[in-house]
C-alpha cells in the first residue's frame, strides 16, 4: 500500500553528511564549489545531502534544496562539480552523477565514493573536491557517510 511505497522511497533516499577522514565536512561552498570544510557545522544546510539509490550499489548525491536540487557530478576529465539546478527531484539524475559507494573492509564506517569514470572523490591540498583516478581507493578517499536524523 501507500505506507510501503513511502517506506521504499525513504530507504531509497537517505539524508547524509559526508565527513572526511580528518573530520572535515563536505559542503557546498562559495561559487558552488564542493569543498571539505573544517569549520562547517554538521547540521548546516550546506553540509547535508540526499543519497539517492539508482541501482544496486549505485547512488547519486544531491543537495537538499527546497525548490531545486543539484547533483554532485564527476566527469570524464575528473572534474567534480554541481549540476545545474533540477526542479524535479524525481527526474533521473545526469549520467555523471552516478557514484558507487565502496565500503572499507578494514574500517567499519569508512566509505569511498567512486565515480563512473574510474576516479574517487578526494580533497586536494586546498580542500576542494576532486576525482582521483585509481584502481583502489587512495587513503584520502575514505570518508564517513553518516546518516542524518531528520
Amino acid at each position: 500500500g501507500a505506507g510501503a511505497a513511502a517506506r521504499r522511497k525513504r530507504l531509497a533516499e537517505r539524508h547524509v553528511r559526508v565527513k572526511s577522514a580528518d573530520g572535515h565536512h563536505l559542503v557546498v561552498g562559495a561559487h558552488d564549489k564542493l569543498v571539505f570544510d573544517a569549520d562547517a557545522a554538521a547540521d548546516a544546510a550546506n553540509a547535508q545531502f540526499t543519497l539517492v539509490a539508482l541501482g544496486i550499489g549505485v547512488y547519486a548525491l544531491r543537495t537538499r534544496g527546497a525548490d531545486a536540487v543539484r547533483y554532485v557530478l564527476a566527469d570524464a576529465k575528473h572534474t567534480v562539480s554541481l549540476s545545474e539546478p533540477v526542479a524535479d527531484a524525481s527526474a533521473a539524475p545526469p549520467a555523471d552523477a552516478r557514484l558507487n559507494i565502496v565500503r572499507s573492509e578494514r574500517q567499519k564506517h569508512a566509505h569511498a565514493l567512486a565515480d563512473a569514470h574510474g576516479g574517487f572523490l578526494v580533497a586536494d591540498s586546498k580542500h576542494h573536491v576532486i576525482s582521483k583516478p585509481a584502481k583502489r581507493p587512495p587513503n584520502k578517499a575514505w570518508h564517513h557517510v553518516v546518516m542524518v536524523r531528520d
Side-chain angles (χ1 to χ4, degrees), residues 4-145:
R7 197 162 50 248
R8 264 199 309 277
K9 182 170 168 51
R10 255 202 320 278
L11 280 175
E13 298 195 0
R14 298 179 175 174
H15 295 142
V16 297
R17 297 188 304 266
V18 179
K19 200 167 121 186
S20 66
D22 53 7
H24 298 183
H25 280 98
L26 177 66
V27 299
V28 179
H31 312 296
D32 290 331
K33 285 263 187 279
L34 285 158
V35 295
F36 279 103
D37 189 345
D39 304 322
D43 55 2
N46 67 344
Q48 297 192 16
F49 294 86
T50 301
L51 195 60
V52 184
L54 303 178
I56 296 173
V58 183
Y59 298 88
L61 201 57
R62 75 171 189 236
T63 60
R64 289 186 65 180
D67 40 0
V69 297
R70 301 175 79 173
Y71 288 94
V72 174
L73 305 178
D75 67 16
K77 293 183 178 145
H78 302 292
T79 304
V80 177
S81 62
L82 282 175
S83 70
E84 291 301 311
V86 179
D88 180 7
S90 63
D96 281 345
R98 295 171 72 87
L99 295 171
N100 289 58
I101 296 190
V102 183
R103 223 170 253 239
S104 168
E105 289 165 16
R106 286 204 301 268
Q107 305 173 57
K108 199 166 145 206
H109 297 295
H111 305 81
L113 303 173
D115 64 41
H117 304 285
F120 290 93
L121 300 196
V122 299
D124 68 10
S125 58
K126 293 182 180 157
H127 300 295
H128 290 167
V129 181
I130 58 170
S131 171
K132 196 171 173 122
K135 289 260 186 288
R136 274 198 307 268
N139 284 341
K140 285 174 112 179
W142 294 111
H143 310 297
H144 296 275
V145 178

